[in-house]
Amino acid sequence: METFNNSKPVLVLLLLPCLLLYSLISFNSSSVEAAMHTNNWAVLVCTSRFWFNYRHMANTLSLYRTVKRLGIPDERIILMLADDMACNTRNKYPAQVFNNENHRLNLYGDNVEVDYRGYEVTVENFLRVLTGRHETAVPRSKRLLSDEGSHILLYMTGHGGDEFLKFQDSEELQSHDLADAVKQMKEKHRFKELLIMVDTCQAATLFNQLQSPGVLAIGSSMKGENSYSHHLDSDVGVSVVDRFTYYTLAFFERLNIYDNASLSSLFSSYNPSWLMSTAYYRKDLYKRNLEEVPVTNFFGSVMETIHTDAAYKALSRRNSGRFEAQMSLDSVHHAERRTLMKVNDQEETHDVNPEGNKQPLQGEEGASKCPWSTFCNKFRKGENVDSLVNYGLVTMIPLLVIPTWLVR
Amino acid sequence: MEKLKKKIGSISFWKWVIASVIFRLILIYFPQNLNLSSRPEVSTPLTSFRRLAEGYWLKQSSMSPYAGSMYHGSPLLLLLLGPLTVKRIEGQPNHILYSLVSVIADLVSAMLIRATGQNLQLAYLRTLGSLDLVKQIEGSEIHPSGDVAALIYLCNPFTIVACVGLSTSPIENMAVILCLYGACSRLIPLAAFGWVIATHLSLYPAILIIPVIFLLGRGPDAPPWKLFLQRHQQNGMLNQSKLPPGFSWGPIIRFAFWSLVWSVYVLVLCGISLKQFGGLWEMFKSTYGFILTVEDLSPNIGVLWYFFAEVFEFFRSFFLIVFHVNILFMILPLAIRLHHRPCYLAFVYVAIFSMLKSYPSVGDSALYLGLLGWFVNEFSDMQFSLFLFCGYVGVSLLSPVMHNLWIWRGTGNANFYFATAMVYACLQIVLVVEGVSAMLNHERKLRRLITGKTQDSKSGLLSDSSP
């Protein structure tokens, strides 16, 4: 007891710097809030199994096609399909999935990249994708590699109910789980803005527990309402699309990659009498005005391409890409078109601009002309690393041969 | 007569060498290398060619080559062999350049084995001369152990399969053989280089430092010191000049210096090339850490994967320690018993770690089967040799069958495949045990010869019956 009393002031003294440190860190992190929107991701999940749930697969594939058409590449789409309708033995049109009875559009062309298929679509894998907590051997194509500048579209479809979504007919994702995953994502800065779109029965209940800022959610029906399928394809034998997704697609088919349609126009395009349910959206957590947010912020990905003649050297992310992106945005300014500079932080840095439009790199501008410092700069930039190691390997040979020959 | 026999022997040796190289080249031209690179016996997570290609691609995309837990080798291998994985030549099979590198590595290893074997045989004859036993030996058949070992290494189906199956085993084996060659020929920088590279590529050759120290300190294999003392004491005088030299520390210190130089060099190079991806710690975690913690449990011809697939998490570290100490605790007793025969000690160590390593493959057993050839004269009356030979043939035929039954047809299960792996391990154990006992029998025979000689017994000829 005495030692405890004696050690109390010591403990307090130890706590003070910890508190200081914590406040500094939180201050720092709060100043990082103003991140720029740099990339778009899409996580499209179909949770239903069995042939009669064909329409859920068609929903997800339609949205996949839309999102790809509007610019998001396969590397930034995580497609999770719980069953294989295209090659199902009951499919009269093998390897083809339609979302309309006119069969005009084959959704399952030769450019579909499914990341999680069949029994891999589980609640555990879904939550792992969202939070990024994978085992070491999970390949990169199955990970959501977003960062603090990402806008993520999360689309889920299947069978659901009051505060749950059914996975594979054997387990459930609850609204608490989803809210917890989103909270983790927010704390780990895995998204800047998140749009959750759910097409199930009583979908709006699934995001009752969400509290993280920057999240926008829209569900196809409210509590107590069912979401219905749109029409039955008598040739295929099952319903091929749901109403909510059908009208979403009707909205998007009118758009192309450069259109300026806003989210509020998307949300107001849902007619309750056509949907036979009320499409409810939750915007209390989303600070921006929906009239100003273009749909391609989530559903598409508009990139600016800079043409360069010199060899493009990919560097790993060391400098903050945001900083460079700001500089480039200033230097290449388009007034008419709403363009989004895409700088993928994780892989590439715009390093080469032969016309002298060079980004000043972190204050190395005024480097001295001393060869050692330029060598150090180059070394730090990591350009000549490989050639240096190659030289090292080559000099290994004479270093081996000469002493051996001398000793002989 | 002797010279003619030797000349014929060397011509037929070169004929066999050329024949095996041509055979490898023919097999390389088969479509897709006969799918050997997908066999679990040939390519393990450490030696797989596909993983090397993946690591190289990741490196080229400015990501850490160890991302995704695919590649677990040295970054220097990536720099050397990586570009070969992507280079394609019109009209030739896909990985012709890499296959040629493996063939050249095999050839170099065979030449080094031959040189070391000749070295060993010369040393053996010299010791016999100093023991005044030359007359007894001249009558009986002595095979040129260097040639035999080199031919065993080159024509061994395991080596051919490892070479054609595009694994990195030929290069790892070459490093080990380089180390032993350097140590036998007293070329200290070469021995240090071989040892450092072999340890860097796969962790286990580190235990070869003990035979290398003995080789450098005392010289190649020789009968025990006691025999020499017995021999010359019985003559009534102690002829110093005929005794083998004692243990000298000078070469060892030079070896330590050179291995330090090479390890610093290799580590600096690796550190530079991995600077952006986490540095040396990341490399150690992904290479040595992966080997020691047995993260990947895909089936191979060893016994660890089956065991660790069913061990409880709570006991996993305990059993990891047990399996690795299994190799370590055999080092000391063998070193004590066989310290006068360092090359043989190296052979036994290689056999032990090829058997008990985390991810064994047939390329590893190709190494010790080749080194076995150095001791054909001592092993001439080894027990169970036919049984072992048939066992190896049987296991290498049955193991792919069981794998097919398990994975592709689904009519078998993991126990089928594991059974062949267990039989394989048993065969290797029997080989090691019988090998050691054959060597000890040989020494007993020598001792009997010496004591028999001084008693002026007329049964001085080498008898072939073992006691």
Side-chain angles (χ1 to χ4, degrees), chain B residues 13 47 107 185 206-207 212 218 231 235 244 266 293 352 355 365 386 392 409 414 452 466:
Chain B
F13 169 74
T47 60
L107 207 55
S185 325
I207 62 177
V212 163
R218 190 174 287 142
R231 184 82 192 85
N235 275 354
V266 163
T293 56
I352 287 176
M355 176 172 38
S365 49
L386 181 65
Y392 268 98
R409 292 171 194 268
S466 55

Side-chain angles (χ1 to χ4, degrees), chain B residues 379-405:
Chain B
F379 283 174
S380 54
D381 49 0
M382 182 166 85
Q383 282 181 333
F384 302 134
S385 46
L386 181 65
F387 166 72
L388 286 172
F389 178 74
C390 296
Y392 268 98
V393 169
V395 165
S396 44
L397 289 175
L398 270 183
S399 169
V401 170
M402 294 303 169
H403 187 256
N404 188 308
L405 277 184

